[in-house]
Amino acid sequence: MGKIVLYLDHIMLEKKVSLTELAEKVGITNANLSKIKNNKVNAIRFSTLESICEILECTPGDILKYEK
């Protein structure tokens, strides 16, 4: 069975955006963003994903990948 993997850390490196900077702009805590970044979440709000994509100028498909 496959799983969804978050590649937020890769996008953040490409865009040279720190965890603290992104958390402030998205409006979530560093701890919550860190959980997202490190694949320690079972769900993510669409509004949070939308904000992340807007700030990082990417699409959800750049961040979320399905792996078998």
Side-chain angles (χ1 to χ4, degrees):
M1 185 171 164
K3 64 180 180 174
I4 301 293
V5 179
L6 293 157
Y7 283 90
L8 181 57
D9 54 342
H10 293 89
I11 303 297
M12 289 172 64
L13 279 173
E14 282 179 22
K15 303 289 183 168
K16 297 180 175 129
V17 177
S18 72
L19 183 81
T20 301
E21 181 183 357
L22 185 58
E24 286 176 6
K25 289 181 178 181
V26 172
I28 62 176
T29 65
N30 281 7
N32 284 338
L33 185 58
S34 181
K35 287 178 185 176
I36 294 169
K37 182 176 157 282
N38 294 307
N39 284 291
K40 302 292 182 195
V41 293
N42 292 322
I44 182 170
R45 291 177 187 253
F46 280 160
S47 59
T48 300
L49 182 59
E50 184 178 288
S51 293
I52 289 170
C53 288
E54 185 175 325
I55 292 158
L56 296 178
E57 298 178 344
C58 65
T59 68
D62 296 327
I63 297 171
L64 303 168
K65 305 286 182 191
Y66 177 78
E67 295 183 353
K68 291 185 179 183

